[in-house]
Amino acid sequence: MQDGQARALLRAMFDAAVAAADPAKVVPGRLPAPPKGRTVVVGAGKASAAMARAFEKAWPRPLTGLVVTRYGHAVPCERIEIVEAAHPVPDAAGERAAARMIETVRGLSADDLVVALVSGGASSLLSLPAPGLTLDDKRAVNKALLASGASISEMNCVRKHLSAVKGGRLAAAAHPARVETLLISDVPGDDPAVIGSGPTLPDPTRRADARAILARHGIDPGTRVLAVLDAGEETPKPGDPRLARARAQMLATPQGSLLAAAEVAHAAGVTPLILGDAIEGESREVARVMAGIAFQVRRYGQPAPAPCALISGGETTVTVRGKGRGGRNVEFLLALALALRGDPRVFAAAGDTDGVDGAEEIAGALVAPDTLARAKALGIDPAARLADNDGHSFFEALGDRIVTGPTLTNVNDFRALLVLPG
Amino acid sequence: MQDGQARALLRAMFDAAVAAADPAKVVPGRLPAPPKGRTVVVGAGKASAAMARAFEKAWPRPLTGLVVTRYGHAVPCERIEIVEAAHPVPDAAGERAAARMIETVRGLSADDLVVALVSGGASSLLSLPAPGLTLDDKRAVNKALLASGASISEMNCVRKHLSAVKGGRLAAAAHPARVETLLISDVPGDDPAVIGSGPTLPDPTRRADARAILARHGIDPGTRVLAVLDAGEETPKPGDPRLARARAQMLATPQGSLLAAAEVAHAAGVTPLILGDAIEGESREVARVMAGIAFQVRRYGQPAPAPCALISGGETTVTVRGKGRGGRNVEFLLALALALRGDPRVFAAAGDTDGVDGAEEIAGALVAPDTLARAKALGIDPAARLADNDGHSFFEALGDRIVTGPTLTNVNDFRALLVLPG
């Protein structure tokens, strides 16, 4: 395989991963049974506007709806109203949308259908404080959680118990209507009750769990929040009769996207090895481990002989120490290039499936055997760029960025190392 | 498989990894052809005293010899003199031993045989400053390199060019005698010229490489060292006629030990997956990646179905921030237990094959599904212990340490996650 073919294969794998989660492709085949009465579409998340457009195009009946997405992620819809709000720290636009959504579904009858289009980001975008709280109370807790190292499951547990819409409360408000939730997952384990803090699904967590999580991370949320966590209304639990007609379908998952990429590799005669759909860890250290596995393939043909692709997903983290233009995928790739030390038979690609790695509309980048040599020729010091968390500048200078524009979906990160024989 | 069986299997895998590198087992089958003349044994390294004992037991001819090992790693020999010296920062005992070793091999004839027993640690233990340098000069550079994050290959390149014994200089001194080197590897790639800074093998690196490494890591070594790196005598290069009769045999490697552990797993009906014999990275982050791979086995049977063992070697690193009793293997295991969150079907073991993880004579430890629960019952906070780099105390309290005593060999770390079905 030539260099150009290796790069093209990795790019095709990334594109397949994104396509497998494209709302336009996955929504039409998964429509719920039509209701006797009205159809009301609600939803929230980075992918949810695109899901709304796909849904209204495919739905053969009248419908109305309101969906909230991240600023810049709106797409034109004809029948469903799309509202934009802030992510990852909620704002008043998200609060107004959540209040309107609750109002919209209240008073529906048993003949009516609520379709909830939920994807990653919904936790922040759909933010209605529980009675007794302000949006600022929630924002403060949210910021403290984001800085604490709490897991997404932990964050969402707390969020549910401070919310008037999350943790099944939106579905409870829609009772006695039927509620069908269509989901695109960006969380480890793909638990429907965790994605977007599960506004339409029963919540197995309790107020006491939320209190324990705050205590574990040393967060003092203030007296109003503590009062709600002590004596507020519990979220609807599994078995709650108000949610007896709530169902969920998973339209796309990180694993589904990795499988799609694996198929592309397989079709090219490359053995795909999926190492994990939820790999976590500091980006640059994850890169060193992946380089170590690639070296094992090179030297010993373990855990599989070359040509093979080491594929993984999930969300690594970057402890920011520098001032560069970075994202967790380009950080991973820059550290990987250093760890591979110009190995002549290893290529790699990584990117965020939402098309935005970090703060810029650059999805990710490619690493080739000559990455370090080309950087040197340009007078660029890769180690210094990594120390400055400056991955985007590095791969921009080399012309090795992957730019897709916003993909309007999100199944988290995609990473692949392509190890060739010889 | 019951809990006890899982623990016993992991322990048997670790023991097999150590046994595969035991000098008493690997030396006797690899004796060089006897010489017409004298046999002189030299050597240095953590495993080298045990190699010397095995060699003199098996060697059917007269011999004399001098071998230097780490304080506490000596074993009684009858014919070969064993000297102890400091590691990882060299001391005067190592310097005297190196000087005597050079003297011992000088003046041998073409009929004589020098057997060099080299293993990890030899770089520090065999430390004779190049003309114009003091041991303090070398110690200062050594300390700066250890703190700089330089790789073992980089460190050894610099050491070779500041030494009167490393980088083939011992073999050059032995010319015209035949030189047979028996090696136990603890370095990624198992390059004989890198293990113990290759005292008896040609050195492909140059003075300019050493200067570049110091510059890259921002180390100012002082004027005397710079003078030697500018104008000192080069190490013998491949093709140097003085080393034409120098040969090397690899007796044990990290990969050999992982394969031995893999066989034990296979015999127990567990699929072994060797992920790398040279995995590097911050210990706790490597643990998160390994946990992520174990979750993939659990959920999807990828990259292999359970029961399987995820086996790896190499040397992770710990950035010490706490004040606890730690080592890189127990740090890995403590972080792993947290990342696994009590998964009921994953067990793990990790340990240093030299029997000393960190500063204490504890090789490593075991993790079981109930590790976190048992810690909680004892009032121990695993996250706090990890923050304090206190892995040894943690596993001591749980009674889950692996204690072997000094194994008198070293093929680096051993790690295995055992993922059971169900």
Side-chain angles (χ1 to χ4, degrees):
Chain A
M1 198 179 287
Q2 300 298 310
D3 275 29
Q5 289 171 295
R7 287 166 165 267
L9 174 57
L10 284 166
R11 178 60 195 258
M13 290 168 66
F14 177 71
D15 290 344
V18 172
D22 182 349
K25 297 190 173 71
V26 296
V27 166
R30 309 291 283 275
L31 302 181
K36 277 190 202 165
R38 298 175 53 198
T39 301
V40 176
V41 177
V42 295
K46 294 184 204 171
S48 296
M51 292 168 83
R53 181 166 64 178
F55 188 86
E56 69 171 24
K57 276 191 181 172
W59 192 244
R61 305 286 189 91
L63 63 79
T64 59
L66 171 64
V67 163
V68 57
T69 193
R70 188 181 186 175
Y71 288 114
H73 283 57
V75 291
C77 285
E78 289 182 6
R79 296 184 281 169
I80 300 169
E81 183 186 353
I82 305 295
V83 168
E84 293 184 322
H87 180 278
V89 177
D91 68 357
E95 183 179 15
R96 283 192 300 269
R100 285 180 55 202
M101 230 173 266
I102 292 273
E103 281 315 304
T104 302
V105 301
R106 246 180 212 142
L108 291 178
S109 80
D111 285 341
D112 299 330
L113 169 66
V114 173
V115 177
L117 307 173
V118 179
S119 58
S123 290
S124 312
L125 297 167
L126 203 63
S127 186
L128 188 63
L133 295 181
T134 67
L135 191 59
D136 279 339
D137 293 330
K138 292 196 64 177
R139 261 198 288 243
V141 172
N142 216 35
K143 275 188 185 168
L145 284 167
L146 281 169
S148 72
S151 72
I152 184 76
S153 299
E154 289 178 321
M155 284 197 267
N156 286 357
C157 170
V158 175
R159 287 158 159 172
K160 285 174 180 182
H161 289 90
L162 303 181
S163 171
V165 64
K166 296 183 174 71
R169 300 192 209 259
L170 179 60
H175 176 80
R178 177 161 59 101
V179 179
E180 299 271 2
T181 303
L182 304 182
L183 292 150
I184 293 181
S185 171
D186 69 336
V187 300
D190 307 319
D191 181 352
V194 173
I195 300 163
S197 298
T200 53
L201 292 157
D203 173 31
T205 73
R206 302 195 158 269
R207 291 192 308 248
D209 299 323
R211 290 197 301 268
I213 288 162
L214 292 174
R216 188 180 312 148
H217 293 286
I219 297 171
D220 175 3
T223 51
R224 279 196 303 274
V225 165
L226 283 176
V228 168
L229 292 182
D230 278 339
E233 192 194 350
E234 258 295 358
T235 50
K237 296 284 161 275
D240 188 305
R242 294 171 295 171
L243 272 62
R245 299 182 71 209
R247 300 275 178 281
Q249 286 192 71
M250 196 67 69
L251 303 191
T253 62
Q255 175 72 1
S257 284
L258 300 187
L259 286 170
E263 269 186 40
V264 172
H266 182 74
V270 171
T271 306
L273 275 187
I274 302 182
L275 296 175
D277 72 341
I279 297 289
E280 299 181 344
E282 182 76 19
S283 307
R284 64 181 66 192
E285 304 298 325
V286 176
R288 296 175 73 185
V289 177
M290 292 295 166
I293 300 174
F295 287 143
Q296 190 74 5
V297 175
R298 291 274 286 135
R299 257 195 107 187
Y300 301 110
Q302 295 171 334
C308 75
L310 307 173
I311 301 171
S312 64
E315 198 171 311
T316 64
T317 45
V318 175
T319 304
V320 178
R321 295 205 172 84
K323 295 182 172 171
R325 296 163 47 218
R328 55 187 187 254
N329 288 288
V330 288
E331 177 105 348
F332 168 84
L333 289 168
L334 183 46
L336 183 72
L338 283 162
L340 289 171
R341 297 189 295 274
D343 186 294
R345 306 306 286 159
V346 185
F347 296 75
D352 192 323
T353 55
D354 71 4
V356 181
D357 184 41
E360 300 186 54
E361 290 208 351
I362 305 161
L366 287 159
V367 160
D370 61 1
T371 293
L372 296 184
R374 285 187 294 125
K376 191 174 177 187
L378 292 170
I380 297 171
D381 179 349
R385 293 298 177 98
L386 179 59
D388 200 29
N389 303 119
D390 198 23
H392 279 314
S393 302
F394 180 85
F395 290 105
E396 185 174 56
L398 265 64
D400 285 336
R401 302 184 301 172
I402 295 177
V403 179
T404 58
T407 62
L408 305 173
T409 190
N410 180 25
V411 286
N412 247 323
D413 296 338
F414 169 85
R415 280 168 246 110
L417 280 72
L418 175 59
V419 189
L420 300 180
Chain B
M1 197 179 289
Q2 301 296 311
D3 275 28
Q5 290 173 294
R7 287 165 166 267
L9 175 57
L10 284 165
R11 177 60 195 258
M13 288 167 66
F14 177 71
D15 290 344
V18 173
D22 182 350
K25 296 190 174 70
V26 297
V27 167
R30 308 290 285 276
L31 302 181
K36 277 190 202 164
R38 298 174 55 197
T39 301
V40 176
V41 176
V42 295
K46 296 184 202 172
S48 295
M51 292 168 83
R53 181 166 62 178
F55 187 86
E56 69 172 24
K57 275 189 182 174
W59 191 245
R61 304 287 189 90
L63 64 78
T64 57
L66 171 65
V67 163
V68 57
T69 193
R70 189 180 183 175
Y71 288 114
H73 282 59
V75 291
C77 286
E78 291 183 4
R79 296 185 282 169
I80 299 169
E81 182 186 355
I82 305 295
V83 168
E84 293 185 323
H87 179 279
V89 177
D91 68 358
E95 183 179 13
R96 281 192 300 271
R100 284 180 56 205
M101 228 173 267
I102 292 273
E103 281 314 304
T104 303
V105 301
R106 252 185 204 141
L108 291 177
S109 80
D111 285 340
D112 298 330
L113 167 66
V114 173
V115 177
L117 306 173
V118 179
S119 58
S123 290
S124 311
L125 297 166
L126 204 63
S127 188
L128 188 63
L133 296 182
T134 68
L135 191 57
D136 278 338
D137 292 331
K138 290 197 66 177
R139 262 199 288 246
V141 173
N142 216 34
K143 276 187 184 169
L145 283 167
L146 282 169
S148 72
S151 73
I152 184 75
S153 299
E154 289 178 322
M155 284 197 269
N156 286 357
C157 169
V158 175
R159 287 156 158 173
K160 285 174 180 181
H161 289 90
L162 303 182
S163 171
V165 65
K166 295 183 174 70
R169 300 193 209 256
L170 180 59
H175 177 78
R178 176 161 59 101
V179 178
E180 297 272 359
T181 303
L182 304 182
L183 293 150
I184 293 183
S185 171
D186 69 337
V187 300
D190 306 320
D191 181 351
V194 172
I195 300 164
S197 298
T200 51
L201 292 157
D203 173 30
T205 73
R206 305 197 155 267
R207 290 191 313 246
D209 299 323
R211 289 197 303 266
I213 288 163
L214 292 173
R216 188 180 314 147
H217 293 285
I219 296 171
D220 175 3
T223 51
R224 278 195 302 275
V225 165
L226 283 177
V228 168
L229 292 182
D230 277 340
E233 193 194 350
E234 258 296 358
T235 50
K237 298 284 162 275
D240 188 305
R242 293 170 297 172
L243 272 62
R245 299 181 72 208
R247 299 275 178 278
Q249 286 192 71
M250 195 69 67
L251 302 191
T253 61
Q255 173 72 359
S257 283
L258 301 186
L259 286 169
E263 268 186 39
V264 171
H266 182 73
V270 171
T271 306
L273 275 187
I274 302 183
L275 296 175
D277 71 342
I279 297 288
E280 299 181 343
E282 182 76 19
S283 305
R284 62 182 64 193
E285 305 297 325
V286 176
R288 297 175 74 186
V289 176
M290 292 295 166
I293 300 175
F295 288 142
Q296 189 74 4
V297 175
R298 292 273 285 133
R299 260 195 107 186
Y300 301 110
Q302 295 171 333
C308 75
L310 307 173
I311 301 171
S312 63
E315 198 171 312
T316 64
T317 44
V318 175
T319 304
V320 178
R321 296 204 171 84
K323 294 179 175 174
R325 296 164 46 219
R328 53 186 188 254
N329 287 286
V330 287
E331 176 107 346
F332 168 84
L333 288 168
L334 183 46
L336 183 72
L338 284 162
L340 290 171
R341 297 188 297 273
D343 186 294
R345 306 307 286 158
V346 185
F347 296 75
D352 192 322
T353 56
D354 70 3
V356 180
D357 184 40
E360 300 187 53
E361 289 207 351
I362 305 161
L366 286 159
V367 161
D370 61 1
T371 293
L372 296 184
R374 287 187 292 125
K376 193 176 177 185
L378 293 169
I380 296 171
D381 179 348
R385 293 297 178 101
L386 179 60
D388 199 29
N389 304 117
D390 198 24
H392 279 313
S393 302
F394 180 85
F395 289 105
E396 186 174 55
L398 265 64
D400 287 336
R401 300 184 301 173
I402 294 178
V403 179
T404 57
T407 62
L408 305 175
T409 190
N410 180 26
V411 286
N412 247 322
D413 296 338
F414 169 84
R415 280 167 246 111
L417 281 72
L418 175 60
V419 189
L420 301 178

